């Protein structure tokens, strides 16, 4: 099992307290910052963009975890200031030529993930596993924060871990995104998840992040080990 990591969902962060929030993350050794890029087409919402990513670069050295929820992502990779140490996730459902897109990202030296919506089978990634560093599993339908996790996605995490082990990719990361509450984090870790996107359910409780909320999420993840 890989060492567990936390990737806070920055769409949940109070923009007015961004500097303070980032200092809390740095103090608590947060591993990534999860950036949801939504285009209003692939998902029914519009969120962060290229300038937000550039501003975060100036404010912190924490690597970015860029989740592209956009149509035709292969045409937009050049828009983002991405580099070694960052994670970039591309949706299977949005990429017409997924392998080509993944290979392009690999050439840039980033950590490459494929993202799957809840109803999309992980088996569809079988023939691009060698092009991947990890899989991002949506445990809610993408687009909005605050949704309840779909129960079947816990089994999907388990199935994904089993497939990775059977195909010789046992060290590949599994990231989970959606309703990562303290209760769900335990179940997700037991099922085989490694990276946990912390949103309103487990990290930004009452709209704010604290040392305590980070500590409690880490402890919940550890209980699943």
């Amino acid at each position: 099992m890989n060492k567990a990591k936390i990737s806070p969902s920055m769409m949940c962060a109070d923009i007015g307290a961004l500097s303070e929030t980032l200092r809390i993350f740095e103090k608590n050794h947060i591993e990534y910052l999860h950036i949801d890029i939504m285009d209003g087409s692939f998902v029914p919402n519009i969120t962060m963009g290229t300038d937000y990513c550039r501003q975060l670069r100036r404010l912190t050295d924490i690597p970015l975890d860029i989740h592209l929820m956009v149509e035709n992502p292969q045409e937009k990779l050049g828009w983002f200031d991405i580099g070694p140490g960052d994670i970039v996730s591309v949706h299977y459902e949005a990429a017409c030529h997924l392998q080509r897109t993944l290979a392009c990202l690999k050439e840039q030296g980033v950590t490459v993930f494929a993202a799957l919506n809840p109803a999309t089978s992980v088996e569809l990634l079988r023939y691009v596993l060698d092009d991947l560093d990890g899989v991002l599993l949506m445990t809610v339908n993408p687009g909005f924060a605050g949704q309840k996790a779909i129960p079947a996605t816990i089994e999907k995490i388990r199935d994904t871990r089993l497939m990775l082990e059977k195909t010789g990719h046992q060290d590949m990361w599994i990231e989970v995104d959606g309703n990562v509450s303290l209760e769900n984090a335990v179940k997700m870790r037991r099922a085989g998840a490694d990276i946990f996107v912390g949103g309103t359910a487990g990290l930004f409780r009452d709209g704010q992040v604290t040392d305590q909320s980070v500590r409690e999420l880490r402890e919940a993840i550890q209980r699943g080990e």
Side-chain angles (χ1 to χ4, degrees), residues 10-24 48 52 55-56 59 204 207-209:
M10 296 306 292
M11 69 181 290
C12 302
D14 181 355
I15 195 69
L18 185 58
S19 293
E20 179 183 350
T21 298
L22 292 173
R23 300 294 84 80
I24 291 173
M48 301 160 179
Y52 186 82
Q55 290 172 24
L56 283 177
L59 293 172
F204 294 91
Q208 299 292 331
V209 67

Side-chain angles (χ1 to χ4, degrees), residues 95-108:
C96 179
H97 300 289
L98 180 63
Q99 194 281 332
R100 181 185 300 166
T101 304
L102 300 177
C104 181
L105 285 167
K106 279 285 190 181
E107 290 175 359
Q108 298 180 54

Side-chain angles (χ1 to χ4, degrees), residues 1-5 87 102 106 111-116 122 125-137 157 160-176 189 191-195:
M1 184 178 287
N2 294 316
K3 181 181 178 181
K5 299 184 178 184
I87 294 174
L102 300 177
K106 279 285 190 181
T111 302
V112 182
F113 281 30
L116 298 176
V122 70
L125 297 180
R126 180 175 291 273
Y127 301 110
V128 293
L129 290 177
D130 290 342
D131 299 291
L132 292 172
D133 299 298
V135 179
L136 188 160
L137 299 178
I157 298 168
T160 301
R161 178 55 64 197
L162 182 60
M163 187 190 81
L164 295 178
E165 291 174 352
K166 286 184 175 180
T167 57
H169 298 85
Q170 58 274 4
D171 295 329
M172 190 175 290
W173 296 91
I174 297 177
E175 182 171 5
V176 285
R189 184 59 167 166
D194 305 301
I195 302 176

Side-chain angles (χ1 to χ4, degrees), residues 28-216:
N28 288 277
H29 308 292
I30 286 294
E31 290 85 1
Y32 294 102
L33 300 177
H34 190 84
I35 315 298
D36 288 304
I37 308 293
M38 305 184 189
D39 64 358
S41 180
F42 179 66
V43 292
N45 198 0
I46 296 176
T47 55
M48 301 160 179
T50 55
D51 287 342
Y52 186 82
C53 293
R54 293 190 188 97
Q55 290 172 24
L56 283 177
R57 295 276 191 217
R58 293 195 290 268
L59 293 172
T60 183
D61 292 328
I62 301 175
L64 303 186
D65 173 16
I66 299 174
H67 182 185
L68 295 178
M69 289 177 271
V70 299
E71 297 282 0
N72 302 312
Q74 64 277 3
E75 299 175 2
K76 297 159 186 169
L77 299 181
W79 298 2
F80 296 90
D81 177 22
I82 56 179
D86 293 336
I87 294 174
V88 178
S89 297
V90 177
H91 268 267
Y92 168 88
E93 303 88 354
C96 179
H97 300 289
L98 180 63
Q99 194 281 332
R100 181 185 300 166
T101 304
L102 300 177
C104 181
L105 285 167
K106 279 285 190 181
E107 290 175 359
Q108 298 180 54
V110 302
T111 302
V112 182
F113 281 30
L116 298 176
N117 287 338
T120 303
S121 172
V122 70
E123 287 291 334
L124 294 170
L125 297 180
R126 180 175 291 273
Y127 301 110
V128 293
L129 290 177
D130 290 342
D131 299 291
L132 292 172
D133 299 298
V135 179
L136 188 160
L137 299 178
M138 294 301 303
T139 51
V140 300
N141 287 300
F144 297 94
Q147 301 181 66
K148 295 296 183 183
I150 297 169
T153 56
I154 300 297
E155 181 181 358
K156 185 176 182 181
I157 298 168
R158 192 174 296 111
D159 290 343
T160 301
R161 178 55 64 197
L162 182 60
M163 187 190 81
L164 295 178
E165 291 174 352
K166 286 184 175 180
T167 57
H169 298 85
Q170 58 274 4
D171 295 329
M172 190 175 290
W173 296 91
I174 297 177
E175 182 171 5
V176 285
D177 184 359
N179 195 216
V180 182
S181 65
L182 302 185
E183 178 183 359
N184 286 335
V186 177
K187 299 175 183 177
M188 292 168 174
R189 184 59 167 166
R190 286 176 181 164
D194 305 301
I195 302 176
F196 298 78
V197 177
T200 56
L203 200 57
F204 294 91
R205 284 171 273 167
D206 299 320
Q208 299 292 331
V209 67
T210 63
D211 292 328
Q212 180 178 347
S213 65
V214 175
R215 183 176 63 253
E216 289 178 350

